[in-house]
Amino acid sequence: MEGAPQDANISWPNHALFVAKSLTQANQITIAQTLTRAFTVAKPEEYPDLRGFYQKVAQADQAQVVLTLAPAAKSD
């Protein structure tokens, strides 16, 4: 693997939190994401912050994994 997604910690204080972590080991990658909300209804004046939060979450969710081609194993 050439590159794994960056870890992310995106907060909308007192409302929501998004955490993404990636762990790379030999021949595998584990990606975990958690979204926690502390609201059920947002007030109209909170909409710009809500939209900004979800735009950042969407951007973090689209992070790329870059893989490299390993040489083929030789058979005897």
Side-chain angles (χ1 to χ4, degrees):
M1 179 171 353
E2 216 173 275
Q6 295 284 327
D7 289 351
N9 191 334
I10 301 166
S11 175
W12 180 23
N14 300 320
H15 289 82
L17 176 65
F18 174 78
V19 178
K21 296 195 179 278
S22 61
L23 174 65
T24 55
Q25 297 172 330
N27 298 321
Q28 79 176 21
I29 182 169
T30 303
I31 299 173
Q33 297 179 331
T34 304
L35 176 64
T36 305
R37 289 185 329 160
F39 69 96
T40 53
V41 178
K43 298 175 186 173
E45 61 271 13
E46 295 175 319
Y47 178 75
D49 293 332
L50 173 65
R51 185 170 192 269
F53 171 77
Y54 278 112
Q55 284 180 326
K56 291 175 188 173
V57 168
Q59 183 178 11
D61 191 43
Q62 294 178 12
Q64 295 183 358
V65 175
V66 180
L67 303 176
T68 57
L69 184 60
K74 293 183 180 181
S75 59
D76 294 326

